[in-house]
Amino acid sequence: MGGHGPDPKHGIYLGGWGNLGCTTPQKGIVTYSLSANRQRPLAGAAHAAIFNTWRRFRHQVLYVVPPFVAAYAAMNWAVERNEYLNSKPGRLAEGTEE
């Protein structure tokens, strides 16, 4: 049970309790790190922004454009109708006098 000597079955040293491992340095363990000032936090941000914006626009355009077109058409009709009703021919057509 985690003895202090060589393992009789495999012939390797397990180490004492709380100190498991072998007496030789471990091999084959590689660690990589990158300094904070070498990282590129905005790498690809412009490219992603352009294509992400296009994707989002393409998926939302049919929800946004038709109401704006309808509102513009209604407003344009209302402005033209108001200008007509406040003109001399419009007042005569409605039967009101100046």
Side-chain angles (χ1 to χ4, degrees), residues 3 16 20 31 33 55 79 85 95 98:
L20 297 175
T31 59
S33 64
R55 179 188 56 84
V79 167
L85 290 177
E98 295 182 25

Side-chain angles (χ1 to χ4, degrees), residues 13-59:
Y13 179 75
L14 292 178
W17 179 255
N19 191 17
L20 297 175
C22 64
T23 57
T24 60
Q26 292 184 339
K27 297 180 182 177
I29 297 177
V30 179
T31 59
Y32 298 97
S33 64
L34 186 62
S35 173
N37 60 354
R38 297 287 296 171
Q39 295 180 13
R40 296 174 36 200
L42 297 177
H47 181 267
I50 291 169
F51 289 103
N52 192 35
T53 301
W54 171 250
R55 179 188 56 84
R56 292 175 67 186
F57 170 78
R58 188 180 45 150
H59 287 221

